[in-house]
Amino acid sequence: MSNKEIPYKIYLNENEMPKQWYNVRADMKNKPAPLLNAATMKPITFEELRPVFCDELINQELDDVNPYIDIPEEILKFYKMYRPAPLVRAYCLEEKLGTPAKIYYKFEGNNTSGSHKLNSAIAQAYYAKKQGLKGVTTETGAGQWGTALSMACSYFDLDCQVYMVKVSYEQKPFRREVMRTYGAKVTPSPSETTEVGRKILAAHPGTTGSLGCAISEAVEAASLQEGYRYVLGSVLNQVLLHQTVIGLETKTALEKYDISPDIIIGCAGGGSNLGGLISPFMGEKLRGEKDYRIIAVEPASCPSLTRGKYVYDYCDTGMVCPLSKMYTLGSGFIPSANHAGGLRYHGMSSTLSQLYDDGLMEAVAVEQTSVFEAAQYFARIEGILPAPESSHAIKVAIDEAKKCKETGEEKTIVFGLTGTGYFDMMSYQKFNDGVMSDYIPTDEELQAGFAGLPNVEA
Amino acid sequence: MSNKEIPYKIYLNENEMPKQWYNVRADMKNKPAPLLNAATMKPITFEELRPVFCDELINQELDDVNPYIDIPEEILKFYKMYRPAPLVRAYCLEEKLGTPAKIYYKFEGNNTSGSHKLNSAIAQAYYAKKQGLKGVTTETGAGQWGTALSMACSYFDLDCQVYMVKVSYEQKPFRREVMRTYGAKVTPSPSETTEVGRKILAAHPGTTGSLGCAISEAVEAASLQEGYRYVLGSVLNQVLLHQTVIGLETKTALEKYDISPDIIIGCAGGGSNLGGLISPFMGEKLRGEKDYRIIAVEPASCPSLTRGKYVYDYCDTGMVCPLSKMYTLGSGFIPSANHAGGLRYHGMSSTLSQLYDDGLMEAVAVEQTSVFEAAQYFARIEGILPAPESSHAIKVAIDEAKKCKETGEEKTIVFGLTGTGYFDMMSYQKFNDGVMSDYIPTDEELQAGFAGLPNVEA
């Protein structure tokens, strides 16, 4: 640790911002298992993915060799509009906790999408535009990804069609309006506009939808329209790649002040934020240069890492997507109501799954009420009202800082504050009214999810 | 202009942040007229204000002599949690407009209150705490001020009671929940909890309230409780004083890159943002050191500067507050529905009123639909979804930039982007649905407001 005084917020200069994304797969000895074609159950090829994804994004998806990939100039320009994101020293939180720990958080919420999702949205929109496409389709759960994509498409003048999980569509009308303000077309899912949607509606009348189901609809919608492709906001390797701007900026900011973290914490749904934050640090760990404790935090109600199986599974409910080897609860697992909508996904990034399986990171599951307690506590001390998703990381960061108080250890904790909760006030209202409930799936419920897993020899 | 490359966002270092507020009244030859005691119609004294305001804030309110006032260490510390605010070069907007103008905006929306209001809220809460008070009362219209105050009170562990204009309370339940998350008690106004509220309800059953009415209730509530004082988020001299951190940071950032603005633009409701932004520049103008065009932008539906009278008037509907000499539409003027709720106030800061009357700044009134058109245009290009209030400044900044395109002049335009519109999506929805309407009061309606003006010889 140097003698430099550490400011409340470390902002990089624009010329210190990363000009390349870092591809952690290049440094992994055990590579993430390849995606499988659902028809052939063989590793999917570039050509087979072309009807669904943009060409350049397929290249990024399949590339587990090149460690650095240039960020195109147009994307760098957009990044400069809302980045660099600050690395914040949580002085007030440390003081309130009375902990000897040093706590930092990388705050990705200072943009209208309200989260880190914009980092990949702008990249995906750029490659779609470059390929001469007319538009893209996608799904959104909590609404952060859909908002981010609508902003990115508006910037590049691309059509944007969002399938929004019906329960979110109804409970978050204002998210929908932000997307509309950016020109996106938003459809509640499941809908009558796709075959898979109609099937799901017939099988489950009155369903309020799920992320897996909305994915199936968006993929079908892209395939039915000339000049359209499907884009996804998490889980995929390409998304983790784009999100490494989070970790790269964090690392540069820490190095500027000679700070070396002991623990790095991030919330994990599909893995986009966590993967982006930890990749550059994991790279050092993989290359044997440094060691860090890395902790993924997931909701106890949807515990893919802590209670799932590491097997091949479908990424979506309609089983139209390729299969991915990942920690999963089964694509048929219906996550219970949880206010951290962005973490309600049955699977996990295949890259993170492999790293977790190799013992390179830990995982912990936390319950909803304790997460909102941490969120409120943090908001009142650090000012920022956090997204429910991000608050999972806050909860565990506070827990670790409290342990330091007991042991007297001056550990340096870095966590990802992925976004703000401004569009999640209905959840906060439940918490404020004292009517929030916790839910942990029973072993029987998990078994039901596992029962639907495809039989694939990995 | 220097040869330094100007980044997309100019962030000051923490040690470049202002350590003193600037009191523009000290440099004014024609001082703002003093507040009058409503009972005696004589200039109000320190002692007469003590039951209502905190002591130190009264000192600041009455001080028109000292140009600089130290910012206490505790407030500086809080400022560092969310400041400095970036001065953004609107490169993308300039390119889209094809204008030779250079456009900058000072963005105050990167905090959970969503606006500049936090700058004064934390100062007022600090002085209340320092005086040993238990809590404060206030009113809020659009909700930005109430949110900011709830955050500030939570930080200093003060009780916070907010009277929220009923129409906002009902239309913005999420604003209310943010305040509750920070521990504030929120009451829709007019309410049965105060005498003035009961009177207004009796006279106007079914009224959805107004800012002037909520002020009356908050003042009464403070007077009825031991250890409570009333605080206000705009209009007052003390508020403009605290808000000068906006202008001071802006000036330092511009000077760092040798930029001298030609035009400075801000939206104007009660005047807190505009006053804070322009004060240091106005100081130079008053001292004859420099000249700037300064433009206040107000809604055509509530045009206090452009169509009001410069006379003494009550600051509130219940006439319990002191009188202020200001541009006013009459405290009985009921502003029509306007989605920029924060600009719906019948009067204007007495300091800004005097400066305007002395011809030191201009004013322009703009209609609602054109404001939302500018807001949407800006959001799609610059990424940030602006508050309706702030969008008044955007509208005029774009107009001025377009004039530069016609004339070829390379003017430098700076405007205040006071906040984000994340809690205003109901208004955006009306705009997106094409059902937003414009309203300009008729001369007869204005005459009705003027008829209620008190007869005071200034």
Side-chain angles (χ1 to χ4, degrees):
Chain A
M1 178 84 64
S2 81
N3 290 325
K4 282 183 214 166
E5 195 182 332
I6 295 163
Y8 278 68
K9 296 191 293 316
I10 306 176
Y11 275 109
L12 302 181
N13 298 319
E14 280 177 11
N15 54 22
E16 294 170 317
M17 287 171 64
K19 287 168 191 65
Q20 296 181 309
W21 293 302
Y22 167 64
N23 181 8
V24 72
R25 288 167 290 163
D27 283 315
M28 290 169 69
K29 270 172 217 151
N30 300 326
K31 305 285 183 193
L35 293 171
L36 298 188
N37 183 323
T40 65
M41 289 295 175
K42 294 203 172 135
I44 204 159
T45 63
F46 180 86
E47 284 303 328
E48 287 168 342
L49 281 169
R50 288 194 77 187
V52 182
F53 293 137
C54 303
D55 291 357
E56 192 55 36
L57 291 167
I58 302 173
N59 285 333
Q60 295 178 358
E61 190 63 32
L62 301 178
D63 181 352
D64 58 11
V65 176
N66 292 300
Y68 289 98
I69 290 165
D70 286 342
I71 306 175
E73 201 54 50
E74 291 87 340
I75 299 176
L76 284 176
K77 189 173 154 187
F78 190 89
Y79 278 169
K80 285 181 190 169
M81 282 213 296
Y82 72 99
R83 307 195 67 82
L87 181 70
V88 185
R89 172 74 182 267
Y91 280 117
C92 294
L93 180 62
E94 290 171 14
E95 192 180 318
K96 190 85 173 180
L97 288 169
T99 177
K102 319 288 178 217
I103 309 174
Y104 295 84
Y105 55 91
K106 179 70 169 173
F107 181 42
E108 292 285 327
N110 272 349
N111 70 75
T112 288
S113 82
S115 82
H116 66 294
K117 294 286 182 183
L118 199 50
N119 301 330
S120 183
I122 193 63
Q124 297 193 46
Y126 166 77
Y127 290 117
K129 185 71 181 181
K130 202 179 153 204
Q131 196 173 321
L133 298 178
K134 288 183 203 159
V136 292
T137 69
T138 198
E139 75 297 326
T140 199
Q144 295 178 332
W145 168 248
T147 310
L149 191 69
S150 70
M151 292 173 66
C153 286
S154 156
Y155 184 77
F156 284 123
D157 206 16
L158 276 172
D159 187 37
C160 180
Q161 301 175 0
V162 181
Y163 285 84
M164 185 170 188
V165 177
K166 193 179 275 173
V167 61
S168 281
Y169 183 90
E170 284 162 2
Q171 289 188 353
K172 299 189 177 185
F174 296 159
R175 272 277 184 212
R176 182 189 71 212
E177 286 309 317
V178 178
M179 291 185 252
R180 286 184 71 207
T181 302
Y182 283 93
K185 185 181 159 203
V186 188
T187 306
S189 165
S191 75
E192 297 283 350
T193 67
T194 65
E195 198 184 317
V196 65
R198 290 189 291 272
K199 264 192 200 168
I200 293 168
L201 280 173
H204 308 277
T207 177
T208 54
S210 74
L211 211 51
C213 163
I215 293 174
S216 302
E217 286 207 270
V219 170
E220 183 183 325
S223 72
L224 293 176
Q225 297 170 89
E226 183 70 31
Y228 279 74
R229 290 294 185 283
Y230 166 70
V231 297
L232 179 62
S234 190
V235 184
L236 296 176
N237 293 322
Q238 58 188 266
V239 178
L240 264 70
L241 178 74
H242 306 147
Q243 293 296 355
T244 58
V245 291
I246 305 173
L248 292 164
E249 279 187 11
T250 301
K251 200 156 174 296
T252 305
L254 290 170
E255 284 168 359
K256 233 177 136 165
Y257 288 89
D258 300 324
I259 305 159
S260 183
D262 299 294
I263 309 174
I264 302 167
I265 301 167
C267 63
S272 73
N273 144 68
L274 182 72
L277 173 65
I278 68 170
S279 275
F281 301 96
M282 185 61 84
E284 293 183 301
K285 197 165 167 166
L286 288 163
R287 296 188 301 269
E289 297 163 8
K290 284 216 180 182
D291 197 19
Y292 306 101
R293 264 189 79 198
I294 294 173
I295 308 175
V297 190
E298 60 184 14
S301 60
C302 193
S304 52
L305 284 173
T306 52
R307 297 176 72 196
K309 290 194 174 179
Y310 187 37
V311 293
Y312 267 106
D313 191 13
Y314 293 95
C315 295
D316 63 325
T317 310
M319 304 182 186
V320 301
C321 292
L323 285 82
S324 173
K325 190 181 177 192
M326 57 184 175
Y327 277 86
T328 178
L329 300 167
S331 67
F333 177 80
I334 304 284
S336 82
N338 180 297
H339 295 290
L343 305 183
R344 286 178 68 199
Y345 181 65
H346 67 275
M348 178 58 62
S349 139
S350 64
T351 299
L352 292 181
S353 292
Q354 185 62 48
L355 291 166
Y356 179 62
D357 202 58
D358 286 340
L360 290 156
M361 55 183 249
E362 308 165 29
V364 55
V366 291
E367 290 182 56
Q368 182 161 262
T369 306
S370 70
V371 166
F372 274 81
E373 279 163 3
Q376 189 202 54
Y377 184 80
F378 181 84
R380 291 186 178 186
I381 296 162
E382 287 285 319
I384 299 165
L385 190 139
E389 291 82 2
S390 326
S391 304
H392 286 67
I394 295 175
K395 158 73 179 147
V396 173
I398 289 176
D399 287 349
E400 290 294 330
K402 283 181 179 169
K403 283 184 204 163
C404 288
K405 188 178 177 179
E406 283 170 26
T407 62
E409 289 173 291
E410 290 188 26
K411 286 188 181 163
T412 296
I413 301 168
V414 173
F415 72 90
L417 188 68
T418 55
T420 53
Y422 308 151
F423 291 93
D424 300 285
M425 294 318 298
M426 204 173 274
S427 310
Y428 273 94
Q429 183 169 359
K430 281 205 177 152
F431 178 74
N432 292 336
D433 289 341
V435 297
M436 180 166 275
S437 60
D438 288 318
Y439 173 76
I440 303 178
T442 63
D443 287 338
E444 289 70 31
E445 284 167 315
L446 291 187
Q447 287 309 322
F450 296 144
L453 286 170
N455 194 7
V456 181
E457 286 185 29
Chain B
M1 179 83 64
S2 81
N3 290 324
K4 281 183 213 166
E5 196 183 330
I6 295 162
Y8 278 69
K9 296 189 294 313
I10 307 175
Y11 275 108
L12 301 181
N13 298 320
E14 280 177 13
N15 54 22
E16 294 170 317
M17 286 170 65
K19 288 167 190 65
Q20 297 181 307
W21 293 303
Y22 167 64
N23 181 9
V24 70
R25 287 165 290 163
D27 283 315
M28 289 168 70
K29 271 175 216 150
N30 299 327
K31 305 286 183 192
L35 292 171
L36 298 188
N37 183 325
T40 64
M41 290 294 174
K42 292 201 173 138
I44 205 158
T45 64
F46 179 86
E47 284 303 328
E48 287 168 342
L49 281 170
R50 289 193 78 188
V52 181
F53 292 137
C54 302
D55 291 358
E56 192 54 35
L57 291 168
I58 303 172
N59 285 333
Q60 294 178 0
E61 190 62 32
L62 301 179
D63 182 351
D64 58 11
V65 176
N66 292 300
Y68 288 99
I69 290 165
D70 286 343
I71 306 175
E73 201 55 49
E74 291 87 339
I75 299 175
L76 283 176
K77 189 174 154 186
F78 190 89
Y79 278 168
K80 285 180 189 169
M81 283 214 295
Y82 73 99
R83 307 195 67 82
L87 181 70
V88 185
R89 172 74 183 267
Y91 281 118
C92 294
L93 180 63
E94 290 170 16
E95 192 180 318
K96 189 84 173 181
L97 288 170
T99 177
K102 319 288 178 218
I103 309 174
Y104 295 84
Y105 54 91
K106 179 69 169 174
F107 181 42
E108 292 285 327
N110 271 350
N111 70 76
T112 289
S113 83
S115 82
H116 66 294
K117 294 286 181 184
L118 199 50
N119 301 330
S120 183
I122 193 63
Q124 297 193 47
Y126 166 76
Y127 290 116
K129 185 72 181 179
K130 203 181 153 204
Q131 195 173 321
L133 298 177
K134 288 182 203 159
V136 292
T137 68
T138 198
E139 77 295 326
T140 199
Q144 295 179 332
W145 167 247
T147 310
L149 191 69
S150 70
M151 292 173 67
C153 285
S154 157
Y155 185 76
F156 284 123
D157 206 15
L158 276 171
D159 187 36
C160 180
Q161 301 175 0
V162 181
Y163 287 84
M164 186 170 187
V165 177
K166 193 177 275 174
V167 61
S168 280
Y169 183 89
E170 285 162 2
Q171 288 189 352
K172 298 189 175 185
F174 296 158
R175 272 277 183 211
R176 181 188 72 212
E177 286 309 318
V178 178
M179 291 185 251
R180 285 183 71 206
T181 301
Y182 283 93
K185 185 181 157 202
V186 188
T187 306
S189 167
S191 75
E192 297 283 350
T193 67
T194 64
E195 198 184 316
V196 66
R198 290 189 290 272
K199 264 191 200 166
I200 293 169
L201 281 172
H204 306 280
T207 177
T208 54
S210 73
L211 210 51
C213 162
I215 294 175
S216 302
E217 285 207 273
V219 170
E220 183 183 325
S223 72
L224 293 175
Q225 297 171 88
E226 183 69 31
Y228 280 74
R229 291 292 186 283
Y230 166 69
V231 297
L232 179 63
S234 190
V235 184
L236 296 175
N237 293 322
Q238 58 189 266
V239 178
L240 263 69
L241 178 73
H242 306 146
Q243 294 295 356
T244 59
V245 292
I246 305 172
L248 291 163
E249 278 186 13
T250 302
K251 199 156 174 295
T252 304
L254 290 170
E255 285 167 358
K256 235 176 133 165
Y257 289 88
D258 300 324
I259 305 159
S260 184
D262 299 294
I263 309 174
I264 303 167
I265 301 167
C267 63
S272 72
N273 144 68
L274 182 71
L277 173 65
I278 69 170
S279 275
F281 301 96
M282 184 61 83
E284 292 183 302
K285 195 164 168 166
L286 287 164
R287 296 189 302 270
E289 296 162 9
K290 285 213 178 184
D291 196 20
Y292 305 102
R293 264 188 78 197
I294 294 174
I295 308 176
V297 190
E298 59 185 13
S301 61
C302 194
S304 51
L305 284 173
T306 50
R307 296 177 71 197
K309 290 193 175 179
Y310 187 37
V311 292
Y312 265 106
D313 191 13
Y314 293 95
C315 294
D316 63 326
T317 310
M319 304 183 187
V320 301
C321 291
L323 285 82
S324 174
K325 190 179 176 193
M326 57 185 177
Y327 276 86
T328 178
L329 300 167
S331 67
F333 178 80
I334 305 284
S336 82
N338 180 297
H339 294 290
L343 304 183
R344 286 178 66 200
Y345 181 65
H346 67 274
M348 179 57 64
S349 141
S350 63
T351 300
L352 292 181
S353 292
Q354 184 63 49
L355 291 166
Y356 179 60
D357 202 57
D358 287 341
L360 290 156
M361 55 184 248
E362 307 164 31
V364 55
V366 292
E367 290 182 58
Q368 183 161 260
T369 306
S370 70
V371 166
F372 273 81
E373 280 163 2
Q376 188 202 56
Y377 184 81
F378 181 84
R380 292 185 178 188
I381 297 162
E382 287 285 319
I384 300 166
L385 189 139
E389 291 82 1
S390 326
S391 304
H392 285 69
I394 295 174
K395 159 72 181 149
V396 173
I398 290 176
D399 286 349
E400 290 294 330
K402 283 181 179 169
K403 283 184 205 165
C404 288
K405 189 177 178 180
E406 283 169 28
T407 63
E409 289 173 290
E410 289 189 26
K411 286 190 180 161
T412 296
I413 299 169
V414 173
F415 71 91
L417 189 68
T418 56
T420 52
Y422 308 152
F423 291 94
D424 300 285
M425 294 317 297
M426 205 174 275
S427 310
Y428 274 95
Q429 184 169 358
K430 280 204 177 151
F431 178 74
N432 292 336
D433 289 341
V435 295
M436 179 165 276
S437 60
D438 288 318
Y439 173 76
I440 303 178
T442 62
D443 287 337
E444 289 70 32
E445 283 166 318
L446 291 187
Q447 286 308 324
F450 296 144
L453 286 170
N455 194 5
V456 181
E457 285 185 28

